[in-house]
Amino acid sequence: MLMSGPCLTGYTQTINDWYDRDIDAINEPYRPIPSGAISENEVITQIWVLLLAGLGLGALLDVWAGHDFPIIFYLALGGSLLSYIYSAPPLKLKQNGWIGNFALGASYIGLPWWAGQALFGTLTPDIVVLTTLYSIAGLGIAIVNDFKSIEGDRTLGLQSLPVAFGMETAKWICVGAIDITQLSVAAYLLSTGKLYYALALVGLTIPQVILQFQYFLKDPVKYDVKYQASAQPFFVFGLLV
């Protein structure tokens, strides 16, 4: 939890904020970096401290688990590299709404799950496939954050999905990715004879659909925080199912 959360997610968020400082100066000028509340040296120090702490914890977990191959360390290293190329030029994956948001969804869903599975169980191909599929829903969740940044993204030429398709179409792409993914996984569970798990997942998807119509589809900018706070717990419980 410390490796995936405060350290590596913290590193990811900090490096993203650093490379987004020009966009944030337009969209959210009150944030710590564009407002000048934190200096350049402090930002760079924070990036390196969190990155090295996360990688160090990954290596220690491999030693603790007695792994012959340091899989946790390499997952942490791969995720850190993905975080860098997501935010930093010249690749800057977030410039492309599809690739960038899928990379984000995979980082938040696939990578921590693989690390936990490798540490406490066995990481098998079917788990990799299911969590990669679930990352498509993560793509939808990542799009939610793009609506509030549409002005700055358009100004600086970032092709987020709301910029590329317009707000109305992007809203439906977003909820479609979230809902269809979960219902597809429920269908897979049903096909393997896991009826109660499939029903549980469908039952956890329904409140998300209701909240999408209640908040997100009405106004994704005004209600983004309220929607995420109310709907995301159902999504996370579905992933645990």
Side-chain angles (χ1 to χ4, degrees):
M1 287 171 66
L2 287 172
M3 179 191 73
S4 297
C7 292
L8 294 180
T9 303
Y11 154 78
T12 301
Q13 297 286 355
T14 308
I15 202 167
N16 184 64
D17 281 359
W18 175 246
Y19 285 106
D20 272 3
R21 59 192 184 278
D22 292 333
I23 297 175
D24 288 341
I26 299 169
N27 293 325
E28 299 172 286
Y30 51 83
R31 297 190 71 160
I33 295 174
S35 70
I38 182 171
S39 71
E40 179 177 341
N41 285 338
E42 288 173 319
V43 176
I44 301 302
T45 300
Q46 179 167 308
I47 287 169
W48 279 107
V49 167
L50 293 174
L51 172 62
L52 294 175
L55 295 177
L57 284 170
L60 286 172
L61 287 168
D62 280 316
V63 172
W64 176 78
H67 291 155
D68 295 326
F69 178 80
I71 187 169
I72 309 294
F73 173 79
Y74 279 111
L75 285 171
L77 186 64
S80 302
L81 176 62
L82 183 61
S83 300
Y84 178 79
I85 64 174
Y86 171 81
S87 299
L91 293 177
K92 198 162 182 136
L93 299 181
K94 67 183 300 177
Q95 291 181 115
N96 182 295
W98 293 109
I99 298 171
N101 283 326
F102 184 75
L104 197 61
S107 297
Y108 280 125
I109 293 174
L111 276 171
W113 195 282
W114 298 348
Q117 194 74 36
L119 185 62
F120 297 110
T122 304
L123 184 57
T124 55
D126 60 326
I127 291 167
V128 172
V129 169
L130 271 176
T131 47
T132 302
L133 283 174
Y134 237 101
S135 297
I136 297 171
L139 178 151
I141 289 169
I143 298 170
V144 174
N145 293 314
D146 289 338
F147 288 93
K148 67 174 183 282
S149 305
I150 192 167
E151 183 184 337
D153 289 349
R154 186 181 286 121
T155 301
L156 294 174
L158 294 184
Q159 286 298 301
S160 68
L161 295 184
V163 171
F165 292 96
M167 287 187 67
E168 198 61 33
T169 302
K171 286 192 299 188
W172 289 100
I173 293 172
C174 177
V175 298
I178 294 169
D179 300 340
I180 293 170
T181 298
Q182 293 177 93
L183 295 175
S184 298
V185 174
Y188 166 78
L189 291 171
L190 185 62
S191 72
T192 58
K194 298 179 175 66
L195 172 63
Y196 293 116
Y197 288 108
L199 290 173
L201 185 51
V202 170
L204 289 163
T205 305
I206 290 170
Q208 295 174 65
V209 175
I210 293 169
L211 291 164
Q212 286 161 3
F213 278 95
Q214 186 175 349
Y215 295 123
F216 181 74
L217 291 169
K218 282 184 180 177
D219 190 332
V221 177
K222 181 179 179 181
Y223 294 117
D224 68 329
V225 174
K226 186 172 283 189
Y227 165 68
Q228 293 199 72
S230 56
Q232 299 299 57
F234 293 104
F235 176 82
V236 173
F237 282 127
L239 179 58
L240 294 175
V241 168

